[in-house]
């Protein structure tokens, strides 16, 4: 048996789907730093129309990622660490050697990778689902595309990988938030994913928005529903796949220890709220102050992903899906009121730049009190500030900040009010 996880990864070839996400980047850094003898890490990248407009290729995207502070520790140990990471257009996975795909940009890296040689190379697979709880309105059709259609296509490719022994899928605990108690199992789905995909295919955005409440049923939002479908697909396909593990994580927050204490991306959902509160914009949130704010530092699920792949690889006789819960839950609870107190204390001690007002966040479950706070502490100051900006010849923008903030808070309610998750205590709870 392999003596350590680092030794286990020596010489292995990995493929990481979602490597440009917040947890995906931290996973790459951890693998390169703690398992320096990894052979290659293949990173498929989906080139969106927005990125194409800026003429970005997968190599350009990763060249920008390499310059961040995230990889400083890896850079000190191995200045040529980039040679172990091979980014490429994900469409290469779905084209055979003999096909000429006009959608794939001809690059030097694309000439080194083909559908066939990847099939015979990959030992381990990490799949980062769209599990970023960014609290913003997400369209059901877009989430189905990302978490269901794309997943099915990638699973079809993984079935052909001859050396692949372990797949680890990063899911969300909110996939089953409507359950009073979440156990380490895949809950059956009454909807056939392919029929839903066919139905959504001909609907426009307005029709999807109207049909969403009926389609998602007891699920609080499209985010939870899409992850529920994704887990159902994995369960149905497990017999045709190598050893499979699912890691269900709650809200992913800033790093605890690695790569640096407090490391977080600017676009991370919870951090946006914390910054808004620290700068004095956010003064009231609706919810029970005694409810648990289930945020897990990003390095905890990343470490679990790496260990889960190792464990499943060694357990060759296991044919069932292994599920891990990575949440704070009731073992190490952090309440909304605690968050409010910490924000107020530390923001006063170390003030934010460009602060709007003195931080003072209130969390209340009373709608009338919350609405009063919003009117007197949000809307009136915002309009007065914009009037002042106009008077000094500057462009007013405070009201727009609050409009975006209120939309975020409205989307947050389904996670906040129902956020006290009861999970199996056999799971990994931080």
């Amino acid at each position: 048996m392999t003596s350590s996880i680092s030794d286990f990864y020596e010489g292995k070839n990995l493929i990481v789907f979602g490597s440009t996400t917040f947890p995906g980047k931290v996973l790459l850094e951890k693998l390169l730093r703690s398992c320096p003898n990894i052979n290659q890490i293949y990173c498929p990248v989906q080139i969106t129309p927005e990125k194409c407009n800026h003429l970005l290729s997968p190599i350009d995207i990763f060249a920008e990622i390499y310059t961040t502070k995230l990889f400083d520790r890896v850079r000190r140990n191995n200045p040529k660490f980039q040679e172990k990471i091979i980014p490429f257009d994900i469409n290469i996975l779905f084209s055979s050697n003999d096909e000429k795909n006009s959608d794939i940009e001809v690059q030097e890296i694309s000439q080194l990778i083909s559908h066939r040689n990847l099939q015979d190379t990959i030992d381990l697979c990490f799949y980062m689902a769209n599990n970023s709880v960014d609290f913003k309105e997400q369209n059901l059709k877009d989430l189905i595309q990302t978490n269901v259609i794309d997943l099915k296509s990638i699973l079809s490719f993984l079935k052909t990988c001859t050396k692949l022994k372990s797949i680890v899928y990063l899911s969300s605990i909110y996939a089953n938030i409507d359950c009073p108690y979440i156990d380490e199992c895949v809950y059956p789905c009454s909807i056939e994913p392919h029929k839903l995909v066919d139905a959504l295919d001909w609907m426009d955005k307005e029709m999807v928005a109207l049909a969403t409440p009926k389609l998602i049923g007891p699920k609080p939002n499209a985010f939870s529903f899409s992850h529920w479908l994704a887990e159902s697909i994995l369960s149905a396909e497990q017999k045709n796949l190598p050893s499979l593990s699912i890691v269900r994580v709650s809200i992913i927050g800033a790093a605890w220890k690695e790569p640096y204490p407090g490391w977080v991306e600017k676009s991370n959902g919870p951090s946006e709220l914390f910054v808004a509160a620290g700068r004095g914009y956010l003064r009231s949130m609706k919810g029970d102050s005694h409810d648990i704010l289930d945020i897990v530092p990003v390095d905890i699920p990343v470490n679990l992903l790496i260990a889960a792949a190792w464990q499943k690889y060694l357990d060759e006789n296991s044919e069932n899906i292994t599920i891990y819960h990575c949440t704070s839950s009731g073992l190490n609870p952090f309440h909304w009121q605690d968050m409010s107190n910490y924000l107020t204390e530390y923001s006063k001690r170390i003030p934010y730049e460009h602060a709007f007002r003195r931080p003072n966040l209130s969390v209340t479950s009373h709608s009338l009190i919350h609405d009063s706070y919003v009117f007197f502490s949000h809307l009136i100051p915002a309009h007065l500030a914009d009037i002042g900006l106009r008077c000094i010849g500057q462009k007013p923008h405070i009201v727009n900040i609050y409009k975006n903030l209120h939309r975020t808070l409205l989307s947050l309610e389904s996670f906040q009010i129902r956020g006290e998750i009861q999970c199996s205590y056999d799971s990994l709870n931080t």
Side-chain angles (χ1 to χ4, degrees):
M1 180 176 290
T2 305
S3 59
S4 71
I5 294 179
S6 179
D7 293 340
F8 162 76
Y9 279 91
E10 182 176 352
K12 295 291 192 300
N13 294 299
L14 283 60
I15 187 166
V16 179
F17 295 94
S19 55
T20 58
T21 63
F22 175 43
K25 295 174 186 176
V26 178
L27 174 66
L28 292 181
E29 192 275 341
K30 176 69 174 182
L31 287 169
L32 291 169
R33 178 167 48 83
S34 300
C35 309
N37 294 321
I38 280 179
N39 188 36
Q40 298 287 349
I41 303 177
Y42 296 92
C43 298
V45 178
Q46 182 76 51
I47 303 298
T48 62
E50 293 80 9
K51 291 178 180 177
C52 290
N53 291 338
H54 292 85
L55 301 178
L56 285 178
S57 68
I59 297 178
D60 295 329
I61 294 171
F62 272 82
E64 184 176 348
I65 293 174
Y66 296 148
T67 62
T68 63
K69 182 180 174 64
L70 174 65
F71 289 96
D72 281 357
R73 295 174 66 184
V74 178
R75 192 177 293 108
R76 286 196 295 268
N77 296 329
N78 180 15
K80 298 182 179 180
F81 73 93
Q82 299 97 321
E83 296 177 358
K84 291 183 176 290
I85 300 178
I86 303 181
F88 62 94
D89 192 317
I90 196 172
N91 290 312
I92 293 175
L93 299 180
F94 313 123
S95 61
S96 65
N97 289 337
D98 300 329
E99 288 180 329
K100 293 183 179 180
N101 194 332
S102 60
D103 294 331
I104 300 177
E105 183 182 358
V106 178
Q107 308 168 28
E108 180 181 356
I109 195 68
S110 298
Q111 297 171 1
L112 301 176
I113 298 176
S114 69
H115 180 91
R116 176 58 60 185
N117 64 30
L118 279 175
Q119 285 177 315
D120 301 330
T121 301
I122 299 168
D123 299 296
L124 304 169
C125 171
F126 293 98
Y127 192 113
M128 308 288 145
N130 178 20
N131 66 341
S132 174
V133 184
D134 58 10
F135 308 138
K136 294 179 181 176
E137 185 177 357
Q138 294 175 303
N139 182 271
L140 176 61
K141 195 170 185 177
D142 295 337
L143 286 169
I144 293 297
Q145 175 66 47
T146 303
N147 290 339
V148 177
I149 300 177
D150 291 351
L151 174 62
K152 289 177 68 68
S153 299
I154 290 169
L155 290 180
S156 297
F157 163 74
L158 294 178
K159 291 176 187 177
T160 66
C161 296
T162 56
K163 293 181 62 180
L164 183 63
K165 292 293 182 67
S166 181
I167 301 172
V168 185
Y169 181 87
L170 183 63
S171 185
S172 173
I173 199 71
Y174 294 106
N176 306 290
I177 194 174
D178 55 311
C179 300
Y181 178 86
I182 304 175
D183 210 342
E184 294 170 338
C185 66
V186 176
Y187 290 86
C189 180
S190 58
I191 298 177
E192 296 186 26
H194 70 276
K195 292 184 178 180
L196 177 62
V197 170
D198 293 339
L200 293 176
D201 186 50
W202 58 269
M203 294 185 185
D204 56 26
K205 288 187 177 180
E206 289 75 15
M207 295 181 67
V208 171
L210 290 173
T212 295
K214 183 67 174 177
L215 289 172
I216 66 176
K219 301 296 178 183
N221 47 50
F223 175 90
S224 300
F225 179 72
S226 65
H227 277 285
W228 184 40
L229 288 179
E231 289 191 2
S232 299
I233 291 172
L234 291 170
S235 178
E237 297 285 351
Q238 65 171 315
K239 293 181 180 179
N240 303 316
L241 293 169
S243 298
L244 178 62
S245 304
I246 296 177
V247 174
R248 291 175 178 158
V249 67
S250 54
I251 302 173
I252 297 178
W256 174 30
K257 293 181 178 179
E258 299 176 316
Y260 301 96
W263 170 264
V264 68
E265 284 194 325
K266 183 179 179 181
S267 60
N268 180 262
S271 298
E272 293 178 2
L273 290 179
F274 298 157
V275 171
R279 287 179 173 171
Y281 287 101
L282 180 60
R283 288 297 187 94
S284 179
M285 294 180 65
K286 188 177 180 180
D288 191 335
S289 60
H290 299 292
D291 277 350
I292 293 174
L293 173 58
D294 209 323
I295 291 184
V296 177
V298 64
D299 40 335
I300 300 297
V302 164
N303 289 339
L304 177 55
L305 288 169
I306 296 172
W310 163 75
Q311 178 63 42
K312 201 68 173 179
Y313 194 102
L314 298 179
D315 190 11
E316 295 182 354
N317 295 324
S318 176
E319 297 180 356
N320 298 323
I321 297 178
T322 302
I323 298 178
Y324 302 89
H325 290 162
C326 189
T327 70
S328 63
S329 191
L331 295 182
N332 186 22
F334 183 65
H335 301 277
W336 282 96
Q337 188 60 54
D338 298 329
M339 181 271 293
S340 175
N341 295 338
Y342 278 118
L343 274 174
T344 302
E345 177 186 349
Y346 286 105
S347 297
K348 290 178 179 178
R349 186 185 306 173
I350 308 175
Y352 277 86
E353 294 182 355
H354 311 296
F356 181 54
R357 283 175 297 176
R358 181 177 62 86
N360 185 16
L361 176 61
S362 173
V363 181
T364 177
S365 58
H366 297 282
S367 298
L368 182 59
I369 296 176
H370 171 68
D371 293 341
S372 299
Y373 279 142
V374 168
F375 181 75
F376 289 106
S377 296
H378 288 184
L379 299 181
I380 291 180
H383 285 283
L384 290 176
D386 276 353
I387 291 173
L389 290 173
R390 288 190 181 95
C391 291
I392 61 176
Q394 294 187 15
K395 183 178 179 181
H397 62 276
I398 305 299
V399 171
N400 289 333
I401 290 177
Y402 273 102
K403 286 181 179 179
N404 293 330
L405 183 58
H406 291 158
R407 280 196 294 267
T408 300
L409 291 175
L410 186 62
S411 301
L412 168 64
E413 288 185 10
S414 60
F415 294 100
Q416 180 183 2
I417 295 175
R418 307 177 69 172
E420 191 164 344
I421 305 169
Q422 298 296 326
C423 300
S424 170
Y425 285 104
D426 294 332
S427 312
L428 175 71
N429 293 276
T430 61

